[in-house]
Amino acid sequence: MSHELGTLEDLPADYVAALRARNLVPLWPSLRGVLPPKVPTRHTQPTHWAYADIKPLLLKAGELTPIEKAERRVLVLANPGHTLEKMQASSAMYLGMQLLLPGEWAPSHRHTPNAVRMVVEGEGAWTTVEGEKCPMSRGDLILTPTGLWHEHGHDGTEPVVWLDVLDLPLAYYLEVSYHLNGSRQETKVGQGDRAYARSGVVPTQVFGRSGRRYPMLRYPWANAKAALQSMADDQPDLDCVQVTYVNPETGEDAENILGFYALMLRPGQTLTLSARSPAAVYHVIEGTARVATESQGFDLVPADTCCIPGYTQTTLKNGSASEPAFLFIADESPLHRKLGVYEVREDAQPAMPTQL
Ligand code: GTQ
């Protein structure tokens, strides 16, 4: 049984004016808007950003704007469903393609939003995070979590480009987004990706844990790719050949708010992912893939990126029948789980998260 709710027009204009003058609003005309039936309203639209479009415009930015005038020379991958001015890919995710030219330096700062970098192309760049110098090569994932100092530099000879993924829209919405500037960091000896390089053994801390919330800051692509290939070889029937980037001391997601994964599509494979509450970003590291919802599809080539809203069944199809495809995925799962709103819909019938 559905009742038509009263509208604003049903009310006397002087009554509505009297409410408004006192910063009061009647709920019932807007109730269905904020609590729609079964499926949430999503501003996030399925959106594809082709690297072939981005790269020349990013290189042009390198000519137009010196690094000193940009601090971070980034073209933001903005979702039109949120309006471009909001600079967000989804409700919680921000995406940007950052360019650093040989010899340039993006000065040290730290901020409340968490960030990661997925290296797209070019050799010789590095990000120093809390004094740990992290070399950047194609496919590497570098964390710069909340509050940690970070700066980028480039000792190579060709432009370097990477994809930034931040939870900036959420931090901004929460009114907790700000930054502090610092000076060039002293780099220290030792790297988390070396100390934690062998699976199954982690450094023993005589006095408890390392005390570092983020013991590993650099996740080399060679390691993630090797793990995926082993899984695919060992388990020929496994559909979802995927690894999660985790904190090696706790096994928890690498960062607090966004989740990061690498996925392999076998040659010719089609993989259907159930509708889930978080929005997701797909970025091709190697190979080609089609990312499709029931209503739309995008054909992705290396370095292409797309965003799919939450509550949307998604089909991933390898574009090649002979080569595997490797995707980097970012999503809002850790946030949804912490908030208690994480949901998987195996069929069209919604079930509240508390019943799962
Ligand atoms: O590299 O520190 O895309 O602070 C946006 C904000 C990159 C960065 C972005 C940032 C950075």
Side-chain angles (χ1 to χ4, degrees):
M1 194 168 62
S2 89
H3 297 280
E4 285 290 317
L5 299 180
T7 67
L8 214 51
E9 289 70 39
D10 294 340
L11 297 167
D14 59 344
Y15 174 71
V16 174
L19 290 177
R20 293 187 62 82
R22 291 161 183 82
N23 295 324
L24 296 169
V25 175
L27 172 61
W28 57 97
S30 304
L31 182 60
R32 297 285 186 257
V34 293
L35 287 170
K38 293 182 183 154
V39 184
T41 305
R42 285 139 305 152
H43 297 293
T44 304
Q45 288 173 6
T47 307
H48 173 208
W49 297 271
Y51 189 59
D53 291 337
I54 296 172
K55 186 174 176 181
L57 295 167
L58 195 51
L59 291 174
K60 188 76 186 168
E63 295 169 22
L64 295 171
T65 306
I67 192 72
E68 296 76 19
K69 287 282 178 197
E71 259 179 51
R72 301 298 193 260
R73 193 191 289 108
V74 175
L75 293 180
V76 178
L77 282 54
N79 193 307
H82 289 271
T83 75
L84 300 186
E85 292 66 34
K86 291 269 182 62
M87 298 199 299
Q88 55 193 103
S90 71
S91 61
M93 290 189 284
Y94 157 105
L95 302 173
M97 281 282 182
Q98 183 161 170
L99 170 70
L100 204 60
L101 296 172
E104 286 186 335
W105 180 60
S108 192
H109 74 181
R110 57 185 184 145
H111 39 69
T112 43
N114 296 276
V116 299
R117 333 276 157 195
M118 166 50 55
V119 183
V120 172
E121 68 169 318
E123 290 291 330
W126 43 266
T127 294
T128 297
V129 190
E130 287 293 295
E132 181 173 323
K133 193 169 181 177
C134 300
M136 301 173 92
S137 285
R138 180 173 161 75
D140 291 352
L141 185 74
I142 315 276
L143 309 188
T144 60
T146 179
L148 301 197
W149 291 108
H150 55 281
E151 64 190 89
H152 315 294
H154 188 359
D155 303 328
T157 54
E158 298 297 322
V160 164
V161 177
W162 64 79
L163 176 70
D164 291 316
V165 186
L166 281 77
D167 48 30
L168 177 60
L170 178 69
Y172 188 78
Y173 175 72
L174 294 176
E175 300 182 349
V176 299
S177 180
Y178 70 96
H179 88 281
L180 298 173
N181 283 329
S183 49
R184 197 178 271 265
Q185 298 171 61
E186 293 288 326
T187 57
K188 62 189 181 200
V189 183
Q191 283 169 356
D193 62 297
R194 284 168 54 83
Y196 294 90
R198 270 104 195 147
S199 60
V201 287
V202 298
T204 299
Q205 305 296 335
V206 178
F207 303 105
R209 290 251 182 83
S210 67
R212 298 165 65 199
R213 169 69 182 87
Y214 305 96
M216 187 158 156
L217 298 166
R218 173 172 183 259
Y219 295 74
W221 172 234
N223 293 350
K225 183 178 178 181
L228 291 169
Q229 282 172 323
S230 307
M231 283 168 69
D233 291 347
D234 293 350
Q235 300 172 72
D237 297 331
L238 181 66
D239 280 333
C240 191
V241 184
Q242 181 176 321
V243 292
T244 302
Y245 292 94
V246 298
N247 177 325
E249 288 196 352
T250 63
E252 289 170 5
D253 289 290
E255 287 187 352
N256 279 323
I257 293 174
L258 301 181
F260 306 103
Y261 319 87
L263 179 124
M264 173 178 155
L265 293 171
R266 299 171 194 269
Q269 185 183 358
T270 301
L271 176 65
T272 297
L273 304 173
S274 301
R276 299 176 322 129
S277 52
V281 164
Y282 300 91
H283 171 85
V284 174
I285 301 179
E286 293 179 27
T288 59
R290 181 170 177 79
V291 179
T293 67
E294 272 171 15
S295 57
Q296 244 174 309
F298 306 123
D299 291 301
L300 274 60
V301 299
D304 279 10
T305 307
C306 74
C307 181
I308 304 292
Y311 300 90
T312 306
Q313 181 178 290
T314 307
T315 299
L316 309 177
K317 186 177 186 337
N318 189 336
S320 165
S322 55
E323 299 295 327
F326 295 93
L327 276 65
F328 168 65
I329 303 174
D331 79 2
E332 301 162 335
S333 295
L335 174 67
H336 281 213
R337 289 204 171 87
K338 284 171 179 134
L339 295 179
V341 298
Y342 182 82
E343 196 181 330
V344 183
R345 293 197 179 169
E346 302 295 352
D347 51 43
Q349 212 33 254
M352 283 287 152
T354 50
Q355 297 170 8
L356 290 175

